[in-house]
Amino acid sequence: MKKIIILLLLCLQSIWPAFAQNEGFNAGQLEKEVKLNLKNAYAASVRIVNLDSNQQAVGGFFSGVVVDAEGHILTAAHAIGPNKPYLVVFPDGRRFKAKGLGVIHSIDAAMMQIVEKGKWPFAKMGWTSVLAPNVPCISISYPGSLTAKKPTIRFGYVAELKHKTGFMRSTCLMEPGDSGGPLFDLRGRVIGIHSRVSIYLTENMEVPIDNFRKYWTALTTPVVHTAFIPEDKLKMNKNEELLKPVPQMSDLIAGFKQQDSLFQKNVFTVKDSNHVSILSALVNLNGLIPTAALTGKSFFISKSSMVGPDAKVEMVDGSMIKAKVISRDEANDLVLLQIPQEINGGINLNGGTKLNMVSGTYDFDQLGSFLISPKPKVAGELSVLGNFQVSIPKSSTTYLGVGTSYNQSDYKIVVTGLYPLPVEKGNIKEDVKADDIAVKDELKKINDRFLLTTDDLPEELSKYTTNQQVTLQYAKKTGALYTKTFTLKPRYVEEDRSKDLFMDGKSRRRDNFKEVLIHDGKLKPSEFGGPLFEVNGDFYGINIARLSRTSSLTIPASVIVLFVKAVTWI
């Protein structure tokens, strides 16, 4: 009898994840579970691009995941075509050619296979049938708003096994570029493939992994399946590991209430004469600046482009104190403020015991770390570290005034919008010429660089500074080629939320950063300028911008320290 009881207990341990033990919820243990199988899942998540007849990469990128040693890759049907050639890029930089196999548009499921010899990491496939709402999950793919060559991690949970659209719904944020990317359970098994989104951040639609199992044979045949599709018989291993739902997933920040309350003491609201509101971080500059400059003062770091010359800092009691602008770092969008009042505490920027990444070095093991963005008077935002040492190049929309996209059918980079400088807004140009650049024109080159992929234009723009000139070559429908010279100047373009696919909107200044950290915090544009902490207390940096539906940007702590040290104190 005793042996039977021991065996039963061992079986239960294999079914329920460690963080659900002892009848209580351990948020810290959940973080360990998130990181446990990241490396293998990460290594199997690939970035894919179309190849033209000359084997040249063209068009935009999308995502996929390798699921066996034969090189079969699962992806989205709307991203590929049968027998078409593709380039598959692994996170370690290795590149292999692949070809499209079967496509089933009705369920947005598709497959491709690597055609070159080699060995590559792959992830095991899970089972949709063992899932339940509130089971934690992880996205590892390549959002289109980033030019990062390594995938970005996001964390969430299964919200619905079958949404009204017929897809599985998760809260792992996705956007264009993520299409075809994998959704994993905490054991590193693929449980879904990214398909589509709505304007609501909680609506991220996934192709259930059982659909790939059901139509595996059909998907290995390189055709678009439209008629009756024979189904394979599914036989799940009786020992398949189950994961227990975590009801606390919808309010994880409550599991870190103590840390959040402590971090909250370091975040304050800043307002200017135009009633623009942004957050700021209270910083302790002891040891970084002359002692005489500290007496009777407190210092804050915030987002420069949102802080005017007449800024005021809101105190805990609601009173407003006028702030003096000490220094600005336009490259990193930082501003250092000073008020004539001493406030105890603040983030120690002089190598304190809880200051992380001062050296500017990063480790893979930090990916998936739970982070907290504290807010004044309310609960903070919990997120995970998704990527680091990422540069955000200049946007053609905000620096050239030329919005772009690409046509998936022919991989052409086309003009989707033209945006004037703020001083030109509202002026009607009566002298528009037939050869002027226009919407639907095809972009061919910037200076001497051919525009073949969606990475080319922003990468080239980032080589130039504001007020320098670049030349675009573009083609009309007739095929006639023209060129036009543009001066790079910031253009603040109002976002189209239906187009950008999320309600809160992006930050106005959100690009042209040399180095940022990426996390999936669902912050509003007015909630930037404040600090970002790991749950263990390490200071990661200053939240600087909402880049897109999936990504919030943070200026690393190492850059913050250099900014303060560069200030000339008199």
Side-chain angles (χ1 to χ4, degrees):
M1 183 66 180
K2 186 177 180 181
K3 290 183 178 180
I4 294 175
I5 294 174
I6 293 174
L7 182 61
L8 179 61
L9 289 173
L10 289 174
C11 290
L12 286 172
Q13 283 185 333
S14 69
I15 293 176
W16 308 125
F19 59 77
Q21 299 295 326
N22 301 323
E23 300 181 351
F25 171 63
N26 186 328
Q29 185 62 31
L30 176 58
E31 181 185 33
K32 294 179 182 179
E33 292 283 334
V34 169
K35 294 183 176 185
L36 186 62
N37 294 290
L38 265 186
K39 284 190 176 180
N40 187 67
Y42 184 95
S45 303
V46 295
R47 193 175 193 240
I48 308 168
V49 66
N50 301 278
L51 293 176
D52 63 13
S53 57
N54 297 316
Q55 302 298 295
Q56 175 71 51
V58 291
F61 293 85
F62 57 100
S63 303
V65 59
V66 183
V67 292
D68 60 23
E70 287 71 46
H72 287 106
I73 298 172
L74 308 186
T75 189
H78 68 263
I80 77 164
N83 289 315
K84 289 187 176 181
Y86 298 93
L87 180 68
V88 175
V89 185
F90 283 83
D92 62 9
R94 290 185 299 157
R95 296 167 173 248
F96 296 93
K97 293 177 183 178
K99 72 170 184 177
L101 297 178
V103 173
I104 307 176
H105 285 293
S106 61
I107 57 173
D108 203 17
M111 187 184 291
M112 61 174 60
Q113 186 173 17
I114 298 174
V115 296
E116 296 183 274
K117 292 183 179 180
K119 293 183 178 181
W120 34 77
F122 62 88
K124 293 182 179 179
M125 294 168 60
W127 292 86
T128 311
S129 52
V130 303
L131 299 176
N134 289 317
V135 165
C137 54
I138 302 166
S139 164
I140 308 179
S141 50
Y142 300 81
S145 59
L146 298 173
T147 58
K149 303 302 187 290
K150 294 184 182 297
T152 298
I153 297 168
R154 281 141 286 170
F155 181 57
Y157 59 92
V158 175
E160 288 181 88
L161 291 178
K162 190 170 184 179
H163 186 258
K164 61 184 178 182
T165 59
F167 292 86
M168 183 171 69
R169 179 170 70 88
S170 85
T171 65
C172 285
L173 300 177
M174 69 172 86
E175 65 180 57
D178 286 316
S179 293
L183 186 74
F184 297 95
D185 64 20
L186 296 194
R187 295 298 178 262
R189 303 173 298 192
V190 183
I191 58 173
I193 294 295
H194 300 332
S195 177
R196 62 200 67 187
V197 298
S198 80
I199 61 174
Y200 301 105
L201 294 177
T202 56
E203 293 195 344
N204 306 275
M205 305 307 167
E206 318 279 355
V207 183
I209 194 62
D210 282 3
N211 283 355
F212 286 90
R213 289 184 176 277
K214 187 186 301 183
Y215 298 112
W216 182 271
T217 300
L219 288 170
T220 58
T221 306
V223 297
V224 176
H225 298 277
T226 56
F228 173 76
I229 309 171
E231 296 182 8
D232 297 340
K233 291 183 179 180
L234 300 184
K235 186 177 289 187
M236 187 176 68
N237 188 330
K238 292 181 180 180
N239 297 321
E240 188 70 24
E241 184 182 13
L242 305 178
L243 294 179
K244 184 179 179 181
V246 180
Q248 296 86 351
M249 284 299 300
S250 61
D251 189 26
L252 274 183
I253 189 64
F256 299 99
K257 188 174 182 179
Q258 184 177 359
Q259 296 97 316
D260 188 27
S261 296
L262 182 63
F263 301 155
Q264 191 180 70
K265 297 177 181 179
N266 299 301
V267 60
F268 291 75
T269 299
V270 177
K271 297 181 180 179
D272 64 17
S273 56
N274 294 320
H275 305 290
V276 173
S277 178
I278 200 75
L279 300 185
S280 67
L282 174 66
V283 291
N284 184 335
L285 303 186
N286 280 303
L288 290 179
I289 68 174
T291 304
L294 293 170
T295 306
K297 302 165 187 173
S298 293
F299 299 87
F300 302 82
I301 293 178
S302 187
K303 180 177 173 66
S304 179
S305 60
M306 296 295 289
V307 177
D310 300 318
K312 294 182 179 180
V313 179
E314 183 178 0
M315 298 291 101
V316 176
D317 62 5
S319 62
M320 306 296 296
I321 298 181
K322 183 174 176 55
K324 177 182 178 182
V325 175
I326 299 298
S327 181
R328 295 184 187 269
D329 176 359
E330 300 301 339
N332 293 296
D333 203 14
L334 298 171
V335 61
L336 178 62
L337 302 172
Q338 171 192 299
I339 64 170
Q341 178 179 320
E342 285 192 52
I343 303 175
N344 292 329
I347 301 164
N348 184 0
L349 295 185
N350 191 27
T353 57
K354 292 300 181 183
L355 178 63
N356 195 25
M357 299 185 181
V358 172
S359 64
T361 58
Y362 308 88
D363 192 298
F364 180 90
D365 291 338
Q366 289 171 288
L367 289 176
S369 295
F370 281 11
L371 309 174
I372 295 178
S373 300
K375 304 175 187 178
K377 303 177 183 179
V378 297
E381 181 71 28
L382 189 78
S383 59
V384 299
L385 181 64
N387 216 326
F388 49 70
Q389 290 181 309
V390 176
S391 64
I392 308 297
K394 287 185 175 74
S395 160
S396 63
T397 301
T398 54
Y399 282 87
L400 282 177
V402 179
T404 64
S405 184
Y406 76 96
N407 288 334
Q408 191 167 332
S409 58
D410 55 16
Y411 317 129
K412 293 180 179 179
I413 309 297
V414 297
V415 178
T416 56
L418 298 172
Y419 307 94
L421 290 166
V423 295
E424 300 170 338
K425 192 174 182 180
N427 294 337
I428 300 175
K429 292 183 65 177
E430 297 180 355
D431 58 343
V432 176
K433 300 177 182 178
D435 59 353
D436 281 346
I437 192 168
V439 173
K440 297 185 179 180
D441 287 352
E442 179 191 355
L443 294 182
K444 291 289 191 178
K445 291 197 302 184
I446 176 171
N447 299 330
D448 294 323
R449 179 173 180 169
F450 285 97
L451 299 176
L452 300 175
T453 75
T454 50
D455 284 348
D456 294 331
L457 183 57
E459 285 180 359
E460 186 68 17
L461 285 177
S462 293
K463 298 176 182 179
Y464 298 86
T465 59
T466 301
N467 293 323
Q468 286 189 315
Q469 292 184 329
V470 297
T471 300
L472 289 183
Q473 183 187 77
Y474 50 95
K476 298 291 183 180
K477 287 185 178 180
T478 60
L481 291 176
Y482 300 96
T483 59
K484 183 176 181 179
T485 299
F486 291 80
T487 300
L488 300 185
K489 291 186 177 181
R491 300 163 188 259
Y492 299 108
V493 181
E494 292 294 335
E495 297 301 326
D496 180 347
R497 292 181 183 178
S498 62
K499 178 183 176 182
D500 292 315
L501 298 178
F502 71 110
M503 291 293 291
D504 295 334
K506 304 174 183 178
S507 298
R508 284 195 167 187
R509 165 71 197 277
R510 59 181 180 274
D511 58 9
N512 195 24
F513 293 110
K514 185 176 180 180
E515 179 185 351
V516 292
L517 310 178
I518 308 293
H519 63 98
D520 60 354
K522 302 175 183 68
L523 298 173
K524 299 176 182 178
S526 61
E527 294 173 337
F528 285 86
L532 179 70
F533 296 93
E534 190 175 357
V535 292
N536 69 0
D538 286 356
F539 171 59
Y540 267 47
I542 297 294
N543 286 323
I544 208 65
R546 184 67 179 267
L547 175 69
S548 65
R549 192 177 193 274
T550 68
S551 304
S552 288
L553 310 181
T554 301
I555 301 296
S558 56
V559 178
I560 305 300
V561 173
L562 292 176
F563 166 50
V564 174
K565 286 183 175 180
V567 176
T568 301
W569 298 90
I570 300 176

